[in-house]
Amino acid sequence: MLPCRMPIDHKYLRDERLLTWMAAVLGIVVGVLAFTLTRNLGERSTKVSAQEVWEFVQEQAPQRNLEPEFVYALVWAESSLDARARSSVARGMMQLTKPAWEEVSQESYRHAWDWRTNIRVGIAYLAFCRDFLVKHDSFNYPLLAAAYRYGPYYVEKKNFNLQQVKQPKNEIYRRIFEGNVRPVAPPE
């Protein structure tokens, strides 16, 4: 006797394949979301030791003829040594914006989260600002801090007059604007 063959419902098979495909896609989406969210949550604040930052700044700043204590104070002012510091427009320890980054670096802005790269590019941007001020016979460290914070073209628009520049709320920047270019004591 021959086995009885039942007719195959092709609509049912198509629906089953569609549900299987949708479940697989949904699983991938949920997995990617979970990975991204947990990764970002774990990296919200990444403090780097003051000693490590100071040693790196001492190595990098003189290469650009900048005072290490001044650079170290800016790092503190911008991020409190948090490698994952961010604002609406800036990233990393030295809170570099994408235009500032691209002014002095060919590296991808994605590297702004690496604290050493961020400080190195931040120092390059400080040197760019310093050279801009020197070119306009207006260099001093308080004005350099203003050019770094607000941009050299903003400082130029204010006629290189620190009194016309918006006064910062940040205590370290205020002390620099008042003439103390070493307001943060480096580690011993």
Side-chain angles (χ1 to χ4, degrees), residues 173-184:
Y173 268 106
R174 283 203 324 263
R175 289 172 37 214
I176 293 172
F177 277 32
E178 292 166 0
N180 180 359
V181 297
R182 295 177 184 91
V184 178

Side-chain angles (χ1 to χ4, degrees), residues 14 16-17 23 50 60 74 99 123 129 134 147 160-161 169:
R14 185 183 52 202
E16 188 175 52
R17 281 190 301 253
Q60 295 292 311
L74 289 186
I123 289 171
C129 291
V134 167
F160 303 100
N161 183 343
K169 294 178 183 174

